[in-house]
């Protein structure tokens, strides 16, 4: 534990009277970066510890979710660096295809232009220009937070190296027949004009309408219910359950589809729930994923009745209408024909919206590129099942398996211009050629490249190895792959994490991308509500950092971080953490002014007081406890342990108990000064990963050394002294009990009272001076009259309260309070003794009365004791 305290320090520079985060944080961070503390050497002999940053969008800015996640990762990497690992926290950003294209298109719109006015190449140039000028502001905000990332290794999912990785793996998957092109139902955004991934669909309850429509005539009629009447124009069947006797006579027949003049079959399919609605469903294969599957099973045609803007294209009076306009018009037309059997408005149901522009998503049949995920997903599941990868907390494994074991093929093409363009060329005679990064694309008349780009998740799925130079076999890849741990939110377990697992195992010969997946929850407000601008409870973390300092925000977030559980946070909690930082500052400043030092060897325990041995024993237990919590990703528990050790044990007890020693001077003061220096040295190193700025300032002042960032992580020396711990616990009992008595008697904290101790034969005798100092107790001089006697911890403390309180007034007050408590007890007993009342009263009412009785008994005991301790008149 003392290996970092053997050099002779420089003289301690005097600390300012107050800690001002704004004056030190930026300068400290610049110094850390300039000195290369966060860089990683692939040629080092040190064991590696690697973490990738979940790449934030280039359009993004720091929000509390980022701040929370980055705090946890930074704490892990700072500790590992101090433990002697070659530590790489890999930074970078995602090109965020849809989001970035939308931003630049809005900028163009201000100029009265669209991307089509510029053309593809010029538009992409414009996006790169925007990225250079405005993109990536989050990097500066990460520095404000204190992120210890290797900035020289910063990557971007569209940079040259990552583009080569994307093209390489696409070609490999294509050649292995794991990428194919097919017409399927996808999520389509009519505003962004592209397919979007499942994670980019946000579901919310919308007010709609449920209409029941009669198809066919007479005995051959059937009623279906729908919330999307406009899609009936594309119906190609009605489906019923094969065992539904109500419709058995219709299966195989054709019925008339209203408004269209077409006749469609009735098919039997086990997908239909006979208990839901009428037990019959309309089948629109081109506009619903479940209907598409029914259509595939029964060989039904797929009729698309909307274009990419969600405008009706079916021939007839509804052509050219927006889908919502068409819905109203079609219901009106059906009503006029007497086809509407029932209508329900409003009908609240879950509707998907584009997460970027909030437009209602349209399921759409479209020709797209797909990844065949079956074998990839199986490998991703097996890697966790066989223990190659551990998910923490373990109970999250079930959610992971539920997802990877049921993955559908992944639509990877997007109808955008910004992104990795799919490396496929189409020939004049229907040829399809996939081109690798080192291959020449086909040329000649009629050859064209695929216009679609790849889903952003495709390139971010390569992040753990593409950022290290893959497909080249680089030193960095050999040193830092696989990652040690992935720290990310449970909300993207299914999307980003699963894709990294699939791609990592596939590209890296069965080696998973990380050893451990450590999942955390989402940040919520202090009432547990999701933070949102629309709710009015969203917080800009920069505001809190400006107001209270980055350490205060970090400590608050870490203190709330239980694995896999959402984190509530409120401004008053950040203020409390600011107070903790100030407490560390003020206590360390006091210690430095009163002899705390790391100079020289730690004295032999035989030279130490029981107080010294007690705090060193507590210190080593804390080191062991914090290590265990770090290894289990228990950030909340390790933060609590550090908080209570620093504030309660060191500042409130050890420093206060040692003041008499420091004030007395001499050899014992030197011993305690060295012990206090040791405690502060280790404590500040333990705190550093979570609160890096204040600890850096204090530790360098205490030690005179270069930086706590590269200091050694404390080790448990094994020193324990249970006898000293028990002895100080007795001191704490005396102080706590006498303080409680003083408070009960209405004495002010600083009010001095004469006292006489009977400590003979107890372990308390050496601590009398410290106890008197803590309790403001004067020696018993001439005329001392013991008016109260407190037996506690095997000792007796006699107090002379004469002249300190108005005894008669206090006796009257307590007597009045005693009478009220006795009356409360009598009333409670009367009700609880009334059988008729107990027979009728609800259980919660009876419980409240029992609670009142318990409190009354406690009040009577407390007040009676206070009266007995009053001085006799």
């Amino acid at each position: 534990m003392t290996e970092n305290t053997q050099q002779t320090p420089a003289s301690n520079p005097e600390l300012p009277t107050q800690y001002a985060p704004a004056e030190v944080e930026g300068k400290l961070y610049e110094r850390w970066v300039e000195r290369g503390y966060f860089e990683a050497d692939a040629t080092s002999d040190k064991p590696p510890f690697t973490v990738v940053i979940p790449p934030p969008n280039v359009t993004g800015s720091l929000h509390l979710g980022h701040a929370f996640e980055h705090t946890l990762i930074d704490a892990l990497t700072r500790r590992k660096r101090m433990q002697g690992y070659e530590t790489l926290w890999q930074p970078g950003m995602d090109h965020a295809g849809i989001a970035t294209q939308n931003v630049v298109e809005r900028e163009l719109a201000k100029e009265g232009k669209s991307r089509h006015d510029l053309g593809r190449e010029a538009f992409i140039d414009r996006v790169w220009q925007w990225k250079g000028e405005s993109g990536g502001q989050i990097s500066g905000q990460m520095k404000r937070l204190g992120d210890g990332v290797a900035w020289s290794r910063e990557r971007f999912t569209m940079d040259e190296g990552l583009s080569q990785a994307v093209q390489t793996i696409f070609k490999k998957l294509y050649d292995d027949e794991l990428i194919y092109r097919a017409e399927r139902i996808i999520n389509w955004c009519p505003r962004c004009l592209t397919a979007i991934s499942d994670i980019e669909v946000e579901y919310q309850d919308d007010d709609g309408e449920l209409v029941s429509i009669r198809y066919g005539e007479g005995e051959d009629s059937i009623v279906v219910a729908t919330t999307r009447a406009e899609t009936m124009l594309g119906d190609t069947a009605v489906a019923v359950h094969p065992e539904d006797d109500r419709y058995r006579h219709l299966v195989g027949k054709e019925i008339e589809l209203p408004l269209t003049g077409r006749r469609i079959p009735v098919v039997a399919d086990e997908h239909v729930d006979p208990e839901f609605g009428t037990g019959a469903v309309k089948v629109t294969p081109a506009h619903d994923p479940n209907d598409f599957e029914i259509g595939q099973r029964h060989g039904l045609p797929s009729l698309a009745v909307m274009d990419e803007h969600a405008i009706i294209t079916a021939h007839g009076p509804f052509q050219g209408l927006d889908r919502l306009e068409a819905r109203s018009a079609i219901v009106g037309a059906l009503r006029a024909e007497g086809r509407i059997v029932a209508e329900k408005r409003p009908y609240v149901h879950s509707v998907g919206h584009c997460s970027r522009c909030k437009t209602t998503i349209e399921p759409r049949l479209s020709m797209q590129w797909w990844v065949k995920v079956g074998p990839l997903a199986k490998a991703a599941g097996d890697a966790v099942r066989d223990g190659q990868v551990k998910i923490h907390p373990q109970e999250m494994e079930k959610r992971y398996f539920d997802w990877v074991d049921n993955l559908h093929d992944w639509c990877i093409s997007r109808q955008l211009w910004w992104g990795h363009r799919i490396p496929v060329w189409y020939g004049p005679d229907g040829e399809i050629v996939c081109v690798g990064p080192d291959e020449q694309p086909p040329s000649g008349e009629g050859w064209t490249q695929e216009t679609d780009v790849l889903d952003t998740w495709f390139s971010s799925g390569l992040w753990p190895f593409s950022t290290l130079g893959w497909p080249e076999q680089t030193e960095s890849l050999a040193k830092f792959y696989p990652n040690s741990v992935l720290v990310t939110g449970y909300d993207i377990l299914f999307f980003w994490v699963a894709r990294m697992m699939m791609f990592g195992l596939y590209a890296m010969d069965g080696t998973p991308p990380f050893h451990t997946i450590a999942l955390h929850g989402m940040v919520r407000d202090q009432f547990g509500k999701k933070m949102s601008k629309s709710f009015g409870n969203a917080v800009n973390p920069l505001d809190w950092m400006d107001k209270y300092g980055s350490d205060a925000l970090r400590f608050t977030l870490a203190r709330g971080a239980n694995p896999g559980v959402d984190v509530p946070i409120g401004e008053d909690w950040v203020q409390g953490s600011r107070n903790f930082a100030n407490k560390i500052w003020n206590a360390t400043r006091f210690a430095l002014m009163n002899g705390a030092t790391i100079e020289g060897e730690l004295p032999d325990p035989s030279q130490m007081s029981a107080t010294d041995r007690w705090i060193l024993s507590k210190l080593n237990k804390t080191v062991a406890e914090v290590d265990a919590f770090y290894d289990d990703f228990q950030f909340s528990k390790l933060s609590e342990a550090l908080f209570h050790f620093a504030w309660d044990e060191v500042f409130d007890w050890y420093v206060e108990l040692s003041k008499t020693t420091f004030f007395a001077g001499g050899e014992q003061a030197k011993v305690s000064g060295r012990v206090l220096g040791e405690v502060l040295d280790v404590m500040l190193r333990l705190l550093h990963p979570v609160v890096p700025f204040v600890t850096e300032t204090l530790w360098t002042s205490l030690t005179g050394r270069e930086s706590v960032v590269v200091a050694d992580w404390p080790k448990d020396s094994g020193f324990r002294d249970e006898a000293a711990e028990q002895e100080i616990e007795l001191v704490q009992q005396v102080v706590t009990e006498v303080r409680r008595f003083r408070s009960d008697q209405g004495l002010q904290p600083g009010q001095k009272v004469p006292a006489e101790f009977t400590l003979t034969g107890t372990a308390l005798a050496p601590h009398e001076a410290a106890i008197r100092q803590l309790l403001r107790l004067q020696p018993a001089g001439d005329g001392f009259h013991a008016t109260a006697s407190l037996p506690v911890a095997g000792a007796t403390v006699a107090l002379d309260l004469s002249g300190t309180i108005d005894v008669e007034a206090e006796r009257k007050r307590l007597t009045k309070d005693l009478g009220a408590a006795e009356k409360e007890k009598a009333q409670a007993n009367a009700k609880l003794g009334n059988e008729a009342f107990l027979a009728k009263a609800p259980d919660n009412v009876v419980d409240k009365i029992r609670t009142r009785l318990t409190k009354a008994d406690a009040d009577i005991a407390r007040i009676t004791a206070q009266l007995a301790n009053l001085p006799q008149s």
Side-chain angles (χ1 to χ4, degrees), residues 288-304:
D288 183 275
N290 293 321
D291 292 2
F292 178 79
E293 297 296 332
I294 293 174
Q296 292 289 297
R297 287 193 288 271
H298 296 277
L300 301 175
S302 297
L303 301 181

Side-chain angles (χ1 to χ4, degrees), residues 144-308:
R144 282 287 314 277
L145 189 65
D147 287 4
V149 300
W151 288 112
S152 70
R153 292 173 173 265
E154 186 174 13
R155 303 302 299 269
F156 181 54
T157 51
M158 286 284 288
D159 68 29
E160 184 177 351
L162 269 65
S163 295
Q164 184 182 25
V166 167
Q167 195 171 352
T168 298
I169 201 163
F170 187 98
K171 170 70 171 174
K172 180 174 171 60
L173 288 164
Y174 182 85
D175 289 347
D176 288 344
E177 298 183 349
L178 293 173
I179 281 183
Y180 64 94
R181 190 170 181 248
E183 195 173 39
R184 298 273 186 85
I185 294 287
I186 44 89
N187 301 310
W188 180 265
C189 176
R191 156 61 182 79
C192 298
L193 297 180
T194 181
I196 64 174
S197 64
D198 291 337
I199 197 173
E200 291 164 323
V201 179
E202 294 180 348
Y203 288 90
Q204 66 184 48
D205 288 341
D206 286 358
D207 287 344
E209 60 180 350
L210 181 67
V211 294
S212 298
I213 309 169
R214 179 173 51 84
Y215 287 15
E217 302 292 345
E219 291 184 358
D220 288 348
S221 67
I222 194 167
V223 175
V224 300
T226 181
T227 59
R228 306 188 65 220
E230 68 277 12
T231 64
M232 68 165 289
L233 301 175
D235 287 358
T236 56
V238 171
V240 298
H241 194 275
E243 297 179 5
D244 194 332
D245 291 336
R246 294 172 295 176
Y247 305 117
R248 195 182 299 274
H249 69 287
L250 288 176
V251 175
K253 291 186 177 182
E254 290 188 342
I255 60 175
E256 183 181 348
L257 177 65
L259 306 181
T260 66
R262 287 192 290 114
R263 296 184 66 80
I264 58 176
V266 177
V267 299
D269 196 280
E270 291 187 351
H271 171 77
V272 180
D273 181 0
E275 303 298 324
F276 182 77
T278 64
V281 297
K282 58 191 287 297
V283 182
T284 321
H287 293 279
D288 183 275
N290 293 321
D291 292 2
F292 178 79
E293 297 296 332
I294 293 174
Q296 292 289 297
R297 287 193 288 271
H298 296 277
L300 301 175
S302 297
L303 301 181
V305 296
M306 290 182 223
D307 66 13
E308 65 270 24

Side-chain angles (χ1 to χ4, degrees), residues 501-545:
M501 286 286 284
M502 291 191 297
F503 280 166
L505 289 159
Y506 174 73
M508 299 300 293
D509 300 321
T511 302
F514 17 74
H515 297 301
T516 302
I517 302 168
L519 299 171
H520 59 72
M522 300 172 66
V523 179
R524 297 182 178 272
D525 71 12
Q526 58 190 327
F527 306 108
K529 190 174 182 180
K530 181 180 179 180
M531 286 191 171
S532 167
K533 291 180 180 179
S534 60
F535 295 154
N537 62 351
V539 174
N540 184 344
L542 295 173
D543 293 340
W544 280 353
M545 287 193 282

Side-chain angles (χ1 to χ4, degrees), residues 375-394:
L376 303 175
K378 182 181 184 303
D382 290 346
V384 175
R385 287 188 171 94
D386 64 19
Q388 284 191 82
V389 179
K390 297 186 182 303
I391 294 179
H392 191 280
Q394 190 174 0

Side-chain angles (χ1 to χ4, degrees), residues 12 115 259 321 492 636 685 836:
N12 296 326
R115 60 184 165 116
L259 306 181
L321 295 180
I492 58 172
S636 176
R685 283 187 277 152

Side-chain angles (χ1 to χ4, degrees), residues 2 90 97 121 194 215 352 391 418 441 467 516 642 655 810:
T2 60
Q90 173 66 57
E121 289 188 10
T194 181
Y215 287 15
I391 294 179
W418 173 244
T467 52
T516 302
L642 289 169
V655 170
E810 186 68 8

